[in-house]
Amino acid sequence: MLENTSFAFIANQLNVNCTLPIKVIENHYFQKANYIQIQEIKNHLKKSGYFSDYFQFNLSPYEFVYVPDENTPEKQNLKSQHLEPEEWKYYILAFQGNNSEISNLQQVANLAEIELKIALVFLYHKEVGGYGIVKNPIHSFNCFFEIDRDDSYSHEFINDTHLQEVSLIYQDFKNLDEAKYLYIKQAIKMLEELKHLPYHSKFRILGLFTIIEFLITHKPIDTGDSITRQVTNKMALLSKRFSKQLDYSAFFKDIPESTIWKKLYAYRSCIAHGTQADFQKELSVLKDDSTARKFLKLVVKTLLRHSLSEPQLYTDLKEC
């Protein structure tokens, strides 16, 4: 365990099912925050106004869980249950040296099944025996806002397999020939940059479409070479090579994939041209905005993860 070191605060509300600490990459360990680190985190959250509904009662969302209320079993209500300090859910990435790899780790973590959300970075200054804070105010606000507005009242389960996945993606990311495949790293960075937009912004949806097109399409040559047609055909080809198949049925009814992409691009057109999307009739296949958004996010993550494994395939695919 790294003591008196710099650390990045993981904003996710997590249920961790593995022995800690775990090395994610060299000199970067996923572990529980110690008492001093917790105080640094809490002080900053309180001063910055994050989770104000909790802190006005001297509470933090990382110090309790929601459990079924046994007094109202018929209503399936939940009640908060405070945790003992040793059970608090403040998790960090502790690291030595500067924070140069934290940015890369965040971009890589975006592609993993469980996305670790690095909201704040605390740099330890040995000379003064204290911490300085590195943050992007907009990114931090959006990150905590998303967590604060989550009404599922649940924690994400994470184990050593999830953390090992981050390590493997990181290795592929670092091994990528940037001179040949710069556009792949640019696309990965674009996904991270979408977090700077408000959580419910339609620009996030347009951004997801942009990343898909950036990775696998070229400028249309004629009407038979439209972006919609390219994406539909190329996604059908790529799906056969993914290590984990895209499960369209988990989001939509048993409908042909080509129809789903046609409807998704009709939705994109609604956003781009300022018309109201009709999920009751024309776009009923997509169910609603949230379902379409979640599916597009999964597509982007899957494409980016796969592009790190077979980068030349994507270069070739863009041209055809």
Side-chain angles (χ1 to χ4, degrees):
M1 182 181 295
L2 299 177
E3 299 288 352
N4 293 328
T5 62
S6 300
F7 67 94
F9 174 51
I10 305 300
N12 309 57
Q13 293 177 289
L14 298 170
N15 274 332
V16 178
N17 184 25
C18 54
T19 302
L20 301 179
I22 289 181
K23 184 171 78 171
V24 180
I25 63 172
E26 193 66 31
N27 292 324
H28 291 69
Y29 292 81
F30 180 84
Q31 61 189 54
K32 269 197 167 186
N34 61 33
Y35 176 80
I36 293 175
Q37 292 164 338
I38 289 174
Q39 295 311 307
E40 291 287 338
I41 294 167
K42 290 179 66 173
N43 288 340
H44 183 75
L45 293 179
K46 188 173 183 179
K47 286 191 297 184
S48 299
Y50 303 129
F51 306 117
S52 56
D53 290 345
Y54 296 104
F55 278 108
Q56 65 176 320
F57 300 108
N58 200 30
L59 298 174
S60 164
Y62 302 98
E63 297 175 9
F64 64 86
V65 294
Y66 285 99
V67 297
D69 187 347
E70 296 177 356
N71 295 321
T72 58
E74 69 286 351
K75 296 183 180 180
Q76 296 184 331
N77 289 337
L78 297 175
K79 65 177 182 179
S80 61
Q81 177 177 293
H82 291 269
L83 300 170
E84 295 299 322
E86 61 270 17
E87 297 176 323
W88 287 352
K89 298 180 180 297
Y90 295 94
Y91 293 98
I92 64 171
L93 277 172
F95 62 93
Q96 294 176 332
N98 60 45
N99 63 324
S100 61
E101 287 305 311
I102 290 296
S103 175
N104 288 335
L105 269 175
Q106 179 61 86
Q107 292 183 55
V108 162
N110 292 337
L111 312 187
E113 180 180 351
I114 302 296
E115 300 176 32
L116 298 180
K117 299 171 183 175
I118 299 174
L120 302 166
V121 178
F122 294 79
L123 295 179
Y124 183 74
H125 298 285
K126 185 177 180 180
E127 299 79 8
V128 297
Y131 292 92
I133 300 176
V134 178
K135 66 175 181 177
N136 180 310
I138 296 175
H139 169 78
S140 297
F141 175 84
N142 287 342
C143 182
F144 289 120
F145 176 85
E146 180 180 346
I147 293 170
D148 196 22
R149 293 298 181 267
D150 182 6
D151 58 3
S152 66
Y153 302 109
S154 62
H155 288 65
E156 297 175 281
F157 284 87
I158 189 170
N159 55 34
D160 51 355
T161 301
H162 294 117
L163 294 169
Q164 288 166 9
E165 181 190 16
V166 176
S167 301
L168 293 172
I169 299 173
Y170 175 84
Q171 290 303 320
D172 286 344
F173 178 84
K174 296 296 286 187
N175 291 335
L176 186 71
D177 187 339
E178 194 165 324
K180 289 180 64 176
Y181 308 115
L182 177 61
Y183 72 95
I184 292 177
K185 285 200 172 180
Q186 289 174 330
I188 292 172
K189 186 177 181 181
M190 288 165 66
L191 180 59
E192 171 64 15
E193 290 172 344
L194 289 183
K195 294 180 181 179
H196 298 170
L197 297 170
Y199 179 64
H200 293 295
S201 171
K202 291 295 191 291
F203 282 106
R204 283 201 180 196
I205 297 176
L206 291 178
L208 294 172
F209 277 108
T210 298
I211 296 172
I212 294 170
E213 295 164 16
F214 186 78
L215 277 173
I216 65 175
T217 71
H218 57 257
K219 184 178 180 180
I221 300 171
D222 51 45
T223 55
D225 191 40
S226 69
I227 293 295
T228 304
R229 187 182 183 89
Q230 287 186 56
V231 170
T232 301
N233 292 339
K234 293 177 183 182
M235 283 301 303
L237 290 171
L238 286 168
S239 292
K240 298 174 183 177
R241 302 185 69 92
F242 294 152
S243 59
K244 184 177 181 180
Q245 290 292 309
L246 271 176
D247 186 1
Y248 285 75
S249 64
F251 296 86
F252 314 110
K253 296 178 181 178
D254 188 16
I255 296 170
E257 295 175 13
S258 59
T259 300
I260 292 171
W261 281 107
K262 182 178 179 180
K263 295 299 183 182
L264 283 168
Y265 267 88
Y267 179 40
R268 180 194 186 283
S269 180
C270 288
I271 297 173
H273 298 287
T275 57
Q276 187 66 35
D278 187 351
F279 291 107
Q280 300 302 313
K281 295 181 180 179
E282 181 187 358
L283 301 179
S284 60
V285 167
L286 303 181
K287 296 182 181 179
D288 51 40
D289 172 274
S290 177
T291 302
R293 182 192 298 255
K294 290 177 181 177
F295 176 73
L296 288 168
K297 177 73 174 297
L298 178 60
V299 170
V300 167
K301 289 175 60 171
T302 303
L303 286 172
L304 290 172
R305 178 68 185 95
H306 184 235
S307 71
L308 290 174
S309 302
E310 295 191 75
Q312 188 58 45
L313 173 63
Y314 283 75
T315 299
D316 296 339
L317 201 59
K318 281 177 68 70
E319 301 303 321
C320 64

